[in-house]
Structures are given as structure tokens and as C-alpha cells.
Amino acid sequence: MQIGIIGLPLAGKTTIFNALTRGNADVANFASGKLQVHTASVQVPDPRINRLTQMFKPRKTIYAQVVYNDIAGLARGIGEKGGMDGNLLNQIAQNDAIVHVVRAFQDDNVPHLEGSINPARDLETLDTELILSDLGVVERRIERLKTSLGKGGSTPQEKDAFQKELAQLEHFQKTLEGGGLLRDLELGAAELKALRSLALTTLKPTLVILNTDEHSTGEALADANVASGAGASANTSPLPFGISYHHKQTQIVALQGKIEMELAQMSDEDAQMFLQEFEIAEPSLPRVIRLSYQLLGLQSFFTVGEDEVRAWTIPVGATAVEAAGAIHTDLAKGFVRAEVVSYENLIKAGGMNEAKTHGVLRLEGKEYIAQDGDIMHIRSSL
Ligand SMILES: Nc1nc2c(ncn2[C@@H]2O[C@H](COP(=O)(O)OP(=O)(O)O)[C@@H](O)[C@H]2O)c(=O)[nH]1
Ligand SMILES: [Mg+2]
């Protein structure tokens, strides 16, 4: 699963990338405008995995992973005719979800292209750019569909499919022309699948990070955190900095990018001291990583044993046989049944054998819808 970090130049993308990935990519006070992508894979923190590790004392513990891509180069083309260049758009399109970093920190040493700090304006500037680029993709596809329909030679089924797609895309076109984001539309799973190859950016789940500074009031931070409540529906909580941004599949958090980056690069002891000194309860990053995982519609099930305790990533709604396939295709092919116990029940019981004797270990078939936190053992004939 790939998450692309985008934002205007000097918003703090690389700073937040470093914080998320404990990395050391260059942060600079100038916008080079060069297209450059930093990539790093990150473990999704999960206290349940820590607890299971205590219980089973396995040789190995493996967390779920997401990949973050820090995409630079958004300096070019913003607000210009022709918009962003194709390479840059390709880089953004390859991601399953977007982290949009918005500058909210004051720092006279870091210039701002517009000469002032205004998160609401910046958020809109980049969104407008994304809307225009999606509009371009949609319009080109509409032209091609019309050409295909005009040519003849297609079967009635093909024609029917073209017509359906055309109607869908014309609806998208209207939405985008009205300044709307595609992720606000109600789309079914089948429609989304058909649209995947178009890689429309405003359709992607998005986490907005307000990059605040050391001097921001605690109030602004608290507000933004309230606004980050989970759920696919548009959130309606009030936001700081006069921002109005209520969209589906969208979350907003505020964090202090520079401090989080420094924290991420410290040893654990130093980080503890730092947190106490600045009276910060806990670093924000683990929460942000979990948020971006959930935002993608992902969840984890676990396999446990003496050898390893491991989190596996599946989409919300995946069946037991799909869960088996996440481990190995043979497990899915030869699927007989799954032995399942919920995380809570396993912890309550105190161990696998106890879970069996308490009767909380269930046998489930192929169609069982896996739940977040299920501990599964797949029985397979292969
Ligand atoms: N004071 C302050 N400076 C920051 C913060 N985040 C980033 N910066 C600085 O802003 C400049 C640009 O940051 P960078 O992460 O390279 O931005 P990018 O162009 O979006 O990748 C660097 O000098 C950073 O040190 C922050 O939260 N507070
Ligand atoms: Mg950068």
C-alpha cells in the first residue's frame, strides 16, 4: 500500500516524511522544483501486536507495513497554464492514498511563495490543481470514448459499456468543473474498480496534515484532533485556522512537523526527556500512521505461534478465504476452514488452549467476513 505525500513547496513534506519514516532525507529552505521522490516503508504501530508478542514470546514479530512516498516538484506549474507536468502526475497517481501537507508554521527563515501563511488558501490552491489535473484526465478519456463509439465495429456489449462509462465520466466532469472532489461522490465497489486505471487524484482517500509550529496554541491542535474522528463520512467538526474542509474519505490532523522529525531521530531515552521538557504527552506519529492505514480501508488480522506473531493486511470486508490469500495463494486455493478467535477474547482467555476450552475459538468457512483483530489459523488441504 502506497501513500503519497504532497503539498506546496516548503510546506514541510520532507520533514514529515522523515518523521514518519525515521529518515534523513534533505530538508531545505529553498524550493528546488526538481521532481524527486523519497520512498520508505514503515511499520504500522499496533499495541495488540505488542501484547500478543508478550503472550506467545515468538522468535519473530512482524507488523503491518505501509509505504510513504515524499513527492517533491510541485513548485512547477501551480496556477500556470498547462498545469502540472505528466511525470509529476504519474508519481502522484501511483499511490493508493494521499497525505496532503499544509504549511501552518511561522518561520521567517523559511520563505513562502505567496509571502504569507494561510493554510486555508494553500489547501485550496493545491486542491484546485488536483481538480484541474483530474479534469484533464476525464476529458481526454471522454474524447477517446466518443471516438470509439463513433467508429462503429464494436459489439453491442462493448457499446453498452462505453455508454455507461461515458455517462459516469460526464458526471465526473460536471463535479470537477463545479470545483468538487470526486471522493465526495457515492460510488460502488464495481465502479471504483473500473475507474482505477484512470488514477484520479481527487478520488483517493486523503489525510490532511496541518504542519503547525512550536508556538501554535494547544487549542488549534485539539480542534484539529477532534476533527480527525474515524469514519468514511464527511466530518463536520470545526477546524482551526479558519479552514472549512468537510469531505468524505478525508481526515485532518495537526502536528508539529519539525518537533516530530527531531523526536523520530532521537534515541528512545532522549525522546522521553524531550517529551517531558516540552510537556508533550506522546508523539503524534504513531497515531498518524494508524490513521493513514485506516483511511485506506485497511485492517489487520493476526497469526500467532511460537515461531512468529504477525499482522496481515486486508481490506475491510475481506472474507476468510481472501485473508488466507493474503498469507499465501495456496492457503486460499486449498482453504478448508479458519479457526478464529477475536483479539479481545484471546486476551480474556489468556492463551490459545484456554480460548478453546472457553469455547471462544470458532470454526469459520470461506465466506466469513474477517474482522479487524481476528486471530486466525487457516486449515488448508494443500
Ligand atoms: N519552524 C518550523 N520549520 C519547519 C517545520 N516543518 C518544516 N520546517 C522547515 O521548513 C523548510 C522546508 O521543509 P521541507 O520539509 O524541506 O519542505 P518540503 O519542501 O515541503 O519538503 C525546512 O527548513 C524545514 O526545516 C515546522 O513545523 N516548524
Ligand atoms: Mg521536500
Side-chain angles (χ1 to χ4, degrees):
M1 288 298 156
Q2 308 267 333
I3 302 178
I5 304 177
I6 64 171
L8 295 179
L10 304 180
K13 295 179 293 296
T14 305
T15 302
I16 284 170
F17 171 83
N18 283 341
L20 287 165
T21 64
R22 296 188 152 222
N24 279 306
D26 255 359
V27 293
N29 276 6
F30 59 91
S32 76
K34 255 196 273 169
L35 176 59
Q36 195 188 16
V37 184
H38 306 289
T39 292
S41 171
V42 174
Q43 292 183 347
V44 181
D46 192 334
R48 297 171 302 183
I49 285 281
N50 305 345
R51 185 76 185 76
L52 291 170
T53 298
Q54 284 172 359
M55 183 180 271
F56 291 93
K57 304 192 172 46
R59 281 183 277 279
K60 266 189 310 208
T61 296
I62 302 177
Y63 291 80
Q65 306 244 323
V66 289
V67 174
Y68 287 99
N69 298 306
D70 169 21
I71 306 166
L74 276 160
R76 290 174 301 180
I78 297 284
E80 286 170 19
K81 248 198 170 141
M84 297 188 281
D85 78 37
N87 263 339
L88 179 58
L89 287 173
N90 273 340
Q91 285 300 336
I92 299 175
Q94 282 166 23
N95 294 280
D96 304 293
I98 299 293
V99 166
H100 182 163
V101 178
V102 179
R103 175 164 175 181
F105 65 87
Q106 302 277 353
D107 188 335
D108 292 342
N109 295 319
V110 183
H112 191 294
L113 290 184
E114 303 275 343
S116 65
I117 306 303
N118 184 339
R121 174 201 60 206
D122 288 359
L123 187 53
E124 193 180 324
T125 300
L126 188 46
D127 259 358
T128 302
E129 219 50 48
L130 300 177
I131 287 170
L132 286 175
S133 100
D134 277 359
L135 192 57
V137 173
V138 166
E139 283 172 347
R140 281 193 293 278
R141 180 72 189 152
I142 287 177
E143 282 315 306
R144 240 177 293 144
L145 283 171
K146 283 186 173 161
T147 312
S148 306
L149 278 166
K151 256 199 243 149
S154 1
T155 65
Q157 284 99 320
E158 279 170 343
K159 262 206 167 135
D160 195 47
F162 286 160
Q163 293 285 12
K164 273 206 188 111
E165 193 183 343
L166 189 60
Q168 174 76 266
L169 290 177
E170 282 173 344
H171 180 47
F172 280 14
Q173 187 180 22
K174 239 193 240 141
T175 304
L176 293 164
E177 280 172 351
L181 303 175
L182 297 179
R183 61 181 182 277
D184 278 326
L185 301 176
E186 300 282 349
L187 297 168
E191 285 163 313
L192 283 174
K193 209 168 170 188
L195 290 163
R196 183 165 282 168
S197 65
L198 292 182
L200 297 160
T201 308
T202 69
L203 199 53
K204 295 180 194 291
T206 299
L207 175 67
V208 174
I209 295 184
L210 301 172
N211 186 14
T212 58
D213 55 46
E214 305 78 86
H215 318 294
S216 283
T217 63
E219 206 179 329
L221 286 172
D223 278 354
N225 289 337
V226 170
S228 72
S233 59
N235 77 55
T236 50
S237 326
L239 295 168
F241 308 115
I243 292 172
S244 165
Y245 199 72
H246 303 296
H247 297 287
K248 291 181 186 161
Q249 297 185 68
T250 303
Q251 305 257 5
I252 302 190
V253 289
L255 58 83
Q256 299 164 281
K258 203 167 175 181
I259 288 185
E260 293 287 344
M261 176 175 117
E262 284 165 8
L263 269 170
Q265 290 167 345
M266 285 177 199
S267 70
D268 287 349
E269 291 114 66
D270 287 353
Q272 274 310 323
M273 273 168 49
F274 186 94
L275 287 174
Q276 274 169 13
E277 193 174 326
F278 287 90
E279 295 176 6
I280 305 169
E282 53 168 1
S284 306
L285 268 307
R287 190 169 48 84
V288 170
I289 297 170
R290 279 211 67 79
L291 259 179
S292 49
Y293 188 70
Q294 287 159 2
L295 188 64
L296 275 166
L298 299 176
Q299 60 181 12
S300 301
F301 73 93
F302 308 122
T303 52
V304 297
E306 280 171 16
D307 193 41
E308 75 177 23
V309 162
R310 179 164 187 164
W312 301 88
T313 300
I314 47 171
V316 172
T319 60
V321 70
E322 285 164 344
I327 300 175
H328 200 286
T329 44
D330 280 352
L331 276 187
K333 270 191 224 148
F335 185 97
V336 179
R337 60 174 185 268
E339 294 169 5
V340 185
V341 55
S342 72
Y343 170 80
E344 287 77 18
N345 281 340
L346 176 63
I347 296 300
K348 249 186 261 159
M352 264 321 199
N353 290 332
E354 292 82 350
K356 253 176 229 168
T357 49
H358 293 192
V360 289
L361 188 78
R362 313 177 318 262
L363 294 183
E364 300 283 1
K366 278 187 179 179
E367 298 304 321
Y368 168 70
I369 304 293
Q371 303 294 311
D372 187 47
D374 274 350
I375 284 103
M376 293 218 230
H377 183 74
I378 311 287
R379 296 261 175 231
S380 171
S381 59
L382 291 178

